[in-house]
Amino acid sequence: MKNKEKSLMEEILNREKSNGKNGLLDNDDTLLNSTVKNLPEAKKTEQLQNNYFKNSEIYKTDSEIKNLNNLNTIEKVKKNENKKETETIKKIFSKKETTESDEEIKRKKIIKKFFKKRKLQVLSFTPYIRTEIEIRNIMKDVIIALFPAIISSALVYGTRALLLIAFSVLSAVVTEKLFSKYFLNDNNSVHDLSAVITGILLAMTLAPLTPLPIVIFGACMAVIFGKLIYGGIGKNIFNPAVIGREFMTVFFSSTMSSGAIWFSQELLQLSGIKFFTGFTNSPFTNYLDGLLLTSSGSVGSYSAFALILGGLYLLLKNRISWHIPVSLFATFFIITIFGNIPVSIGGLLLTGIFMATDMPTSPSSAPGKIYYGIMLGLIIGLLSMFGIKNEILSYVLLILNPFARIINKVFRPVVFGYDVKEEILKQSEKMILLTLGIFAFAIIFLGFHKIGAMPYLVYLYILISTLNLISSKNKNKIIHKNLKNAI
């Protein structure tokens, strides 16, 4: 039984396998028949497709050729345009180069001319915010203020006084004109009229019969060693007129110290004017007439009224302030209560109004000016105690002029934000130290005068100032070379 069942099963399985194979073969035959039947149609479609692709490629090639031709023409046009543009640009740049080269040549010529005219590049200094007021206008006002004193000197000594003033002014102007080229590299420094004032003030401090060659020497030294050697106006430490007078006293001491140059009855034109005594004869009216005109003293001190008139003019024109003259006069009159001082009123007014108010050699702040005026009066009293007479006003300025810049630093205005009381205390401490220093310097100065060493001080001053000048000239040459190389 079992064997029969196995044989039946095997037969069934074999039949299923055979059926499966036959089915597969049948399907394959149908597929083959369908492909065989469809062969000519496929070939047709392939040919059509190939023709289409060929036509499309031909069309593409034609269009590409056309595009290439168009591109070539466009490129040619662009090349032509670029050539034209480059040619025009070259022309423009060639023109620019020629213009630039011309400008460079002109610039070099201007620079060469500039350095031929000036060996040093002149730079501007502070303050950069400036007013319309010029130095020349200030000097004009000072000259106008000095005219009443010049007229009064002409009334007393006539042409002699005028000749002395004229020679002093001319020699000062000529000296500045000749030497300003070497010292300042500038030929136009005469136009500020500072040399004219130096000549007038020097003549005002001299005796009326001072020999004219000595006057010329003093004016030349005043300009050279009083102003030009420091670099010109505004840079000098000492008043130039005082320097000129001191050179005269050192190099011509016998002439300057003789009494013969102070008075001459033959040359005297007018000894005085009796104006107030014409109303009532009294000591007070005689004193007023002496203030109006007198024949004693230096050329600029003959008329106190003329000097006061000039001072009022300068005050009205705002060329000076009242601080230095008023503080000086007040201190002087307080000192005269305790003793006699050999200084004329005219000489004191000339010093206080015209010489002590010299801008470069005096303080700039109002408290500093008041302090400066007080110290002038105190040093005058100190010098009179030691018996100095003729040179007392010159020595006062020589002692205090170097301290003007230190006084500016001590009496500097209090900056906003700082404690005012603390700053005032600091300033007062500095002021005490400064006062002690000024008195110490004045005593040393007097010691040199007593032992006759003033000529040696002048020689030392000449040596130091010339050495400073040489060193500054060398520095300027180096700067000049650097500027040339930079340009």
Side-chain angles (χ1 to χ4, degrees):
M1 289 293 289
K2 288 181 181 178
N3 292 323
K4 286 181 180 179
E5 288 177 358
K6 283 182 182 178
S7 61
L8 286 169
M9 288 294 290
E10 287 175 355
E11 286 179 1
I12 291 162
L13 290 168
N14 290 323
R15 282 181 182 178
E16 285 179 357
K17 286 179 182 178
S18 63
N19 289 325
K21 285 179 181 179
N22 293 323
L24 288 168
L25 289 167
D26 291 335
N27 290 327
D28 291 333
D29 292 333
T30 55
L31 285 167
L32 287 166
N33 291 323
S34 64
T35 52
V36 168
K37 287 177 183 179
N38 293 323
L39 272 172
E41 291 178 359
K43 284 180 180 179
K44 286 179 183 179
T45 53
E46 282 179 2
Q47 286 178 357
L48 289 169
Q49 284 176 357
N50 289 325
N51 291 324
Y52 175 76
F53 284 118
K54 283 179 182 178
N55 291 324
S56 63
E57 284 176 359
I58 290 160
Y59 179 76
K60 280 182 181 178
T61 52
D62 292 333
S63 63
E64 283 176 358
I65 289 161
K66 287 179 182 179
N67 289 326
L68 287 169
N69 291 324
N70 291 325
L71 287 169
N72 289 323
T73 54
I74 290 161
E75 284 178 358
K76 285 179 182 179
V77 171
K78 283 183 178 179
K79 283 180 181 179
N80 292 323
E81 288 178 354
N82 289 326
K83 282 181 181 179
K84 288 179 181 179
E85 285 178 359
T86 51
E87 286 176 358
T88 52
I89 289 161
K90 282 180 181 178
K91 287 178 181 179
I92 291 161
F93 275 106
S94 63
K95 286 180 181 179
K96 283 184 178 179
E97 284 175 358
T98 53
T99 52
E100 283 177 0
S101 62
D102 293 335
E103 286 177 358
E104 284 179 0
I105 291 161
K106 286 179 182 178
R107 185 169 169 271
K108 286 178 181 178
K109 284 180 180 179
I110 290 162
I111 290 163
K112 283 180 181 179
K113 285 180 182 178
F114 175 78
F115 280 105
K116 281 180 183 178
K117 288 180 181 178
R118 292 188 176 187
K119 291 182 180 179
L120 178 66
Q121 181 77 23
V122 178
L123 302 175
S124 61
F125 295 95
T126 54
Y128 295 108
I129 299 168
R130 300 174 185 270
T131 61
E132 294 180 356
I133 299 167
E134 294 181 353
I135 296 169
R136 185 180 173 85
N137 295 330
I138 296 168
M139 298 302 168
K140 279 181 182 178
D141 288 331
V142 176
I143 292 166
I144 291 165
L146 285 166
F147 258 105
I150 294 168
I151 292 164
S152 64
S153 65
L155 290 173
V156 176
Y157 274 99
T159 55
R160 174 63 192 179
L162 293 176
L163 276 173
L164 190 139
I165 295 167
F167 270 81
S168 180
V169 171
L170 284 172
S171 55
V173 171
V174 171
T175 303
E176 183 157 355
K177 184 68 177 176
L178 292 174
F179 287 91
S180 60
K181 176 67 178 175
Y182 177 73
F183 288 102
L184 306 178
N185 296 315
D186 189 8
N187 290 324
N188 298 320
S189 63
V190 180
H191 295 293
D192 60 15
L193 300 177
S194 60
V196 176
I197 290 171
T198 300
I200 294 170
L201 289 176
L202 176 63
M204 291 286 180
T205 62
L206 299 176
L209 304 176
T210 306
L212 295 178
I214 298 173
V215 174
I216 293 167
F217 171 79
C220 294
M221 295 299 104
V223 172
I224 293 170
F225 288 98
K227 186 175 74 170
L228 294 180
I229 205 159
Y230 293 103
I233 189 168
K235 299 177 183 178
N236 50 302
I237 298 170
F238 298 99
N239 192 308
V242 177
I243 292 291
R245 180 179 170 79
E246 194 58 32
F247 270 76
M248 292 167 73
T249 55
V250 167
F251 288 96
F252 302 97
S253 57
S254 59
T255 305
M256 294 295 291
S257 60
S258 68
I261 62 172
W262 289 96
F263 183 77
S264 174
Q265 190 65 42
E266 295 176 357
L267 296 173
L268 186 66
Q269 301 292 322
L270 188 65
S271 60
I273 296 172
K274 293 182 179 181
F275 179 76
F276 293 101
T277 53
F279 298 100
T280 53
N281 192 0
S282 65
F284 181 69
T285 54
N286 287 323
Y287 178 74
L288 290 176
D289 283 335
L291 294 177
L292 188 62
L293 193 71
T294 184
S295 60
S296 62
S298 62
V299 173
S301 62
Y302 292 144
S303 176
F305 276 107
L307 293 167
I308 291 166
L309 186 64
L312 290 172
Y313 175 79
L314 291 176
L315 283 170
L316 290 171
K317 295 291 285 185
N318 200 20
R319 301 307 185 207
I320 63 169
S321 63
W322 59 268
H323 303 89
I324 292 173
V326 171
S327 57
L328 169 60
F329 301 150
T331 308
F332 178 80
F333 286 118
I334 290 166
I335 291 169
T336 53
I337 296 168
F338 301 98
N340 188 19
I341 297 173
V343 175
S344 65
I345 299 298
L348 186 70
L349 288 168
L350 180 66
T351 303
I353 295 169
F354 292 98
M355 301 188 78
T357 56
D358 181 36
M359 290 180 186
T361 59
S362 63
S364 56
S365 63
K369 288 177 180 179
I370 292 167
Y371 174 80
Y372 187 75
I374 292 166
M375 291 307 298
L376 283 170
L378 292 174
I379 298 299
I380 286 170
L382 180 68
L383 294 173
S384 65
M385 285 172 61
F386 282 86
I388 295 171
K389 294 180 181 179
N390 292 333
E391 301 298 323
I392 190 167
L393 295 175
S394 298
Y395 282 179
V396 168
L397 294 173
L398 287 173
I399 290 165
L400 279 166
N401 280 164
F403 289 96
R405 295 176 186 180
I406 301 169
I407 292 167
N408 281 330
K409 291 180 180 179
V410 171
F411 291 95
R412 190 176 292 169
V414 179
V415 180
F416 179 76
Y418 284 81
D419 191 358
V420 178
K421 290 181 180 179
E422 288 182 2
E423 292 297 319
I424 289 169
L425 285 171
K426 287 179 182 178
Q427 284 184 358
S428 60
E429 290 173 1
K430 290 178 182 178
M431 185 183 69
I432 291 164
L433 292 172
L434 179 62
T435 306
L436 293 172
I438 290 169
F439 275 107
F441 182 72
I443 291 164
I444 293 165
F445 192 88
L446 284 168
F448 279 108
H449 175 78
K450 287 292 182 181
I451 62 174
M454 291 304 294
Y456 299 103
L457 284 178
V458 173
Y459 303 148
L460 184 65
Y461 173 78
I462 293 167
L463 179 64
I464 292 167
S465 57
T466 49
L467 288 173
N468 285 328
L469 178 67
I470 291 163
S471 64
S472 64
K473 293 290 281 184
N474 291 328
K475 286 179 183 178
N476 291 336
K477 283 180 181 178
I478 293 163
I479 293 164
H480 172 67
K481 286 180 182 178
N482 292 329
L483 284 169
K484 265 192 171 180
N485 293 326
I487 292 167

